[in-house]
Amino acid sequence: MSKASQSALQRYQARREGRLAASPSRTRRRTVRPGVLLAVAILLLASAAAGGWYVLREPAPLNLDYEIDLSDAPRGSLDLHLVLTGDLPRHLDLVFPPGFFGDPDSGVDANTPTAQAVDGQGRRGRSLAVARTDDGWRVSTDGVDQVAFGYRVDLSPPDHLEHDIRRFISNPVNGGVRVAGFEIFLVPLGRPVGDITVSLRNPDDLPVLTPWPPLVREPARTPAIPDSAGLAHLGDGRSYLPVEARGRRATAPRPTPPESPEASRVFHPRDLADLNNALLVCGNLRTASTKARDCDIRFATDRRWLFADDEALDLVRRVARTEVGFFGSAPSPRITVLLAANEVSTPERFDTYGAHTGSSVLVMIDARTTWGELEDQAASVIAHEMFHGWLGEAIPQEDPAMLWFTEGATTWYAARMLTAAGVWSPDHARRVLQRRLERDYEQNRLLGERAVADVAADVMSDDAEAVRFAYAGGVAVCVALDSWLARHGGLERPLDGVLRHLYNTRDGRPLTRASLETAVYEVTGVDCAPWLDSHVYGKTALPLPEDLI
Ligand SMILES: [Zn+2]
């Protein structure tokens, strides 16, 4: 595979959220039927008779306070402390994403668990028993109200046993570490979660970046190091929720987390999805910033490249300006592009790999990439991942049956945005798309055998040919849909209007086939459902589209 851009974060997130979202109390509430009510009534009587009312009481949400200690980050390790407050079960399961914990190939090793009871004054007391489980650890809480749980995360690349770049999102970097939230934060299983905070302990004042979410609050005691000094600094002065607002959702009073009064409480995720989606980088980082309209555009890296930071920043700015201009506004106040070295060296590796977290982008490229290669090849991954800030995040992608559109349109528009930004010539863009469509759609064994939407729904599959068919098929059907709508509705590039309409009327609900069809109808007056049935959700092959750029 020469190139890929997938959101590995999404895969883990989906798996993890899918499991955690099914908290028993919430599921029960949604699916109550008369027969169940009767059974519940009988059970209620029985437990009332037994004095066991608590059996049916909704457990109060657990509040989670994480502290990340960066003391050993330059040596590739983090120490995490989690204080859990609330209605603690007697056996508290703390988990990593399923299949991740204890996998020697993951490159992230969580170890040395400790658990202690915490009293009402925040003092740590006796130790609690901890046992290993498949996905994490089980703590015997012994009826205490608060538990302090500590563990260490060592980030060391596996000996390239598995040549999968997706294993390297969390990795040591120059002078520190890069970590994805879903790979370092243990979370309680099967319990509703209330308020979440994350603080950093940074005794050596390492430069820290949290490209997404823009959650870091400037600690008053630390003067900001201006970007012009060429160093990353802690804090964007923003947070999803003001830290003071925590009282509104907190259900139990919490003392200040003990042990590290010097830690600054800085993140305030809205929910577990935010926590999972966080990306944190610390170490010898350099950043450069500029503006596209009122959006801060930031380039960050931990190494020297064969091109200058200013050149890379300018490329990022041109792409961002074009995409912001296309949609009319930025999806977030800041877009960070983090450029890192791809250290996987095998013939079948991804040359360039991109992932997005929110509207920020992590791009891993060969350490010897030249300026020309950055423009010709890596730029499309930057443009693609950045485009997901609108299509994928602002217009949320959750339903796998819509991945054909989210990935197909994003891949196609990335090439068009690079052309509009003057990074690619129209001829180059046409050649790149043409080659990809011929090889991965027209000549793919799956053409006519499987529906594009079905293959795209499993885009994280390990079948490389299917993944290529998903992306190229997505482009083919999006371009063909655009031409078909132009013929029937009379508009020029109607899909542009559909995308802007979806963005401008967004309400946080995920994209669905119905919402796409409605948007198409509202913009063009055309009902595209039968066409989608045939070419996207059905197997009818399309001729290679011509109007690519
Ligand atoms: Zn994508």
Side-chain angles (χ1 to χ4, degrees), residues 5-78:
S5 51
Q6 303 168 323
S7 177
L9 293 174
Q10 277 175 341
R11 174 169 71 164
Y12 285 100
Q13 214 180 308
R15 286 164 64 187
R16 179 159 163 173
E17 282 299 295
R19 177 157 173 178
L20 294 170
S23 114
S25 56
R26 288 182 200 165
T27 312
R28 196 167 59 218
R29 264 188 181 170
R30 264 192 248 112
T31 57
V32 171
R33 290 177 315 233
V36 176
L37 278 179
L38 183 66
V40 168
I42 291 168
L43 183 60
L44 193 68
L45 282 172
S47 27
W53 279 102
Y54 68 91
V55 172
L56 288 167
R57 188 164 58 82
E58 173 107 358
L62 297 179
N63 293 322
L64 313 177
D65 292 299
Y66 296 88
E67 181 193 296
I68 308 175
D69 185 342
L70 302 180
S71 303
D72 269 342
R75 287 161 292 284
S77 297
L78 296 174

Side-chain angles (χ1 to χ4, degrees), residues 210 213-217 236 238-241 266-269 274 278:
T210 55
L215 291 173
V216 177
R217 173 166 284 258
D236 294 344
R238 280 193 298 273
S239 161
Y240 271 132
L241 293 169
V266 283
F267 291 50
H268 199 159
D274 272 354

Side-chain angles (χ1 to χ4, degrees), residues 404-433:
W404 67 271
F405 184 74
T406 305
E407 292 306 333
T410 299
T411 305
W412 181 35
Y413 277 84
R416 288 182 49 204
M417 294 295 119
L418 288 173
T419 310
V423 178
W424 281 5
S425 70
D427 278 349
H428 179 73
R430 223 171 270 125
R431 265 199 309 274
V432 169
L433 287 173

Side-chain angles (χ1 to χ4, degrees), residues 26 29 57-65 83-88 145-146 191-197 244-255 268:
R26 288 182 200 165
R29 264 188 181 170
R57 188 164 58 82
E58 173 107 358
L62 297 179
N63 293 322
L64 313 177
D65 292 299
V83 176
L84 301 107
T85 315
D87 227 347
L88 293 165
D145 294 331
Q146 274 193 78
R191 283 274 153 164
V193 168
D195 204 41
I196 308 170
T197 68
E244 300 77 51
R246 59 186 309 210
R248 281 190 289 130
R249 286 197 307 150
T251 49
R254 274 178 291 171
H268 199 159

Side-chain angles (χ1 to χ4, degrees), residues 9 16 170 179-185 275-280:
L9 293 174
R16 179 159 163 173
S170 295
V179 288
F182 65 86
E183 291 187 296
I184 61 164
F185 294 119
L275 184 76
N276 284 345
N277 220 7
L279 189 67
L280 181 142

